[in-house]
Amino acid sequence: MLILMEPAAGPDLIAEVVALLEAAGVRPQIQESAEATSILAPHASKALKPDRLEGLPGVRRVVPITSPFKLASAEGSLTPTIVEVRGVRFGGGELAMVAGPCGVETREQLFATARYVAEAGLKLLRAGAFKPRTSPYSFQGLGRDGLRLLEEARREFDLGIVTEATEAETFDAVAETADLVQIGARNMQNFALLKLAGRCGKPVLLKRGPAATLEEWLYAAEYVLSEGNRSVILCERGIRTWSDHARNTLDVSVVPAAKALTHLPVVVDPSHATGRRDLVIPCARAGVAAGADGLLVETHCHPEKALSDGPQALLPSDFFQMVEQCRAIHRVISGRPVGVGLAF
Ligand code: PEP
Ligand code: MN
């Protein structure tokens, strides 16, 4: 249930409600908003009748949450969640863009790519130091050395770092370096990793599994949220279908469908969704047009030499074009004046 407090209810009255919930074995989460405080109490109705809480001083109303994912559900929050990562806001009506090479390969490669990502006005650089690869013989990432290079890139270009945690053993090292911890598609239902992500104190980018339904994806988010981490961003990165012209199939309609069910921000990754450079820009545009809160895109200074995902990496010139076009589409759908024509 969601307990809406009166705007004038002070910390004492909030603490009383929390104490009652905790005594009943519920783990409440307090949500502050500009208007009033609300208390999210998953499965509280099993332990307490709503009228027990409605009678308490400072409580305005108790709203039942019918959704099975209590914390991820749109019913559980009065406003959409905004996840802020080094000043970049996901979910606040802006278009948050994250880009970089698939993996950290060398300082030269990372810095050359980071330089033009920053030049395009982006504030977040993404690259994997630990790479979950389909084949054990493929490049597995530079590991901890890659994390050090990412830290150097943050200092050099003043970019926030998005990087993937793939396993429990190295989770803390990744979380220490990352400004936003990525949980990859293959790990969407790695519940031990999700719990670590929920306790790590950093925002989390949760990719949708290649065969996961929207409901399974939201339950995965619920694992992170239920550990107390409210900063979760969902990322659609394509699902497995029988279509074989591309690596995966971008599920564009899941963007508005997810946003109808959850208060969490939703971004689109057109790179893994297609696996083909020529399809990345059209799919990035489709994601923005469908209402995504942001994009996660792979780009490489020399895609032909990339150690992973080269065929889907945008060339620098394509990357600038994508950024400009997606910003233009976003201005149109958010009703802002359009300076440049939508000619592409
Ligand atoms: C990646 O982001 O490079 C990656 C491995 O993505 P996914 O988990 O979506 O396959
Ligand atoms: Mn990749």
Side-chain angles (χ1 to χ4, degrees):
M1 61 177 69
L2 182 68
I3 300 144
L4 304 173
M5 301 299 291
E6 296 287 359
D12 291 1
L13 295 182
I14 293 167
E16 254 178 62
V17 177
V18 167
L20 182 69
L21 290 164
E22 284 178 345
V26 177
R27 284 167 66 193
Q29 294 194 0
I30 297 175
Q31 307 183 118
E32 310 281 359
S33 85
E35 299 86 50
T37 298
S38 60
I39 302 168
L40 196 50
H43 298 289
S45 52
K46 283 191 190 142
L48 287 167
K49 289 223 167 72
D51 53 10
R52 175 81 182 81
L53 290 149
E54 252 161 357
L56 290 178
V59 173
R60 179 148 58 107
R61 205 150 57 90
V62 175
V63 185
I65 300 175
T66 51
S67 160
F69 16 86
K70 306 288 176 192
L71 302 173
S73 162
E75 296 169 278
S77 180
L78 301 177
T79 49
T81 289
I82 298 173
V83 177
E84 195 163 328
V85 185
R86 274 180 64 112
V88 178
R89 286 154 61 87
F90 294 80
E94 290 152 40
L95 182 66
M97 286 198 258
V98 182
C102 179
V104 182
E105 298 167 6
T106 62
R107 180 183 283 105
E108 292 65 38
Q109 167 255 10
L110 184 66
F111 279 30
T113 309
R115 183 166 290 116
Y116 69 77
V117 165
E119 255 173 50
L122 272 66
K123 302 274 180 266
L124 298 174
L125 174 71
R126 194 213 74 121
F130 293 89
K131 294 303 309 171
R133 304 305 303 284
T134 303
S135 163
Y137 307 116
S138 301
F139 173 61
Q140 302 285 312
L142 299 184
R144 291 174 194 272
D145 292 342
L147 295 177
R148 298 292 82 77
L149 289 174
L150 286 167
E151 286 165 7
E152 280 185 39
R154 171 168 43 215
R155 285 194 294 276
E156 181 76 19
F157 301 100
D158 193 25
L159 290 166
I161 299 300
V162 183
T163 194
E164 179 169 349
T166 55
E167 58 190 354
E169 291 73 10
T170 48
F171 189 95
D172 289 348
V174 171
E176 211 178 300
T177 297
D179 295 292
L180 173 61
V181 177
Q182 176 175 325
I183 301 292
R186 292 160 186 80
N187 274 315
M188 191 206 82
Q189 285 189 316
N190 180 338
F191 301 117
L193 209 60
L194 294 177
K195 287 183 191 171
L196 288 175
R199 292 185 221 123
C200 75
K202 293 279 175 81
V204 172
L205 180 97
L206 178 62
K207 289 204 167 190
R208 179 184 181 186
T213 63
L214 171 54
E215 189 174 276
E216 288 163 341
W217 191 20
L218 293 177
Y219 272 122
E222 191 80 9
Y223 266 91
V224 182
L225 296 166
S226 64
E227 294 296 326
N229 191 343
R230 304 283 301 157
S231 299
V232 178
I233 302 163
L234 299 168
C235 178
E236 157 63 23
R237 46 75 76 202
I239 48 170
R240 177 67 58 87
T241 68
W242 55 87
S243 215
D244 63 358
H245 64 278
R247 186 173 175 186
N248 290 294
T249 299
L250 176 64
D251 184 1
V252 181
S253 71
V254 86
V255 175
K259 288 175 77 72
L261 290 185
T262 180
H263 54 86
L264 300 172
V266 182
V267 303
V268 161
D269 168 354
S271 306
H272 296 86
T274 61
R276 278 175 49 176
R277 182 172 309 128
D278 60 327
L279 303 183
V280 170
I281 297 183
C283 287
R285 296 194 302 235
V288 177
D293 297 295
L295 294 171
L296 186 76
V297 181
E298 288 189 348
T299 179
H300 194 292
C301 53
H302 293 292
E304 71 289 355
K305 295 192 205 148
L307 298 181
S308 62
D309 287 351
Q312 69 194 34
L314 290 179
L315 299 161
S317 55
D318 297 340
F319 172 70
F320 280 97
Q321 197 190 15
M322 185 218 69
V323 169
E324 196 185 318
Q325 292 182 357
C326 289
R327 283 187 179 142
I329 293 169
H330 184 256
R331 280 195 294 273
V332 172
I333 62 167
S334 49
R336 292 179 205 161
V338 185
V340 287
L342 271 179
F344 40 78

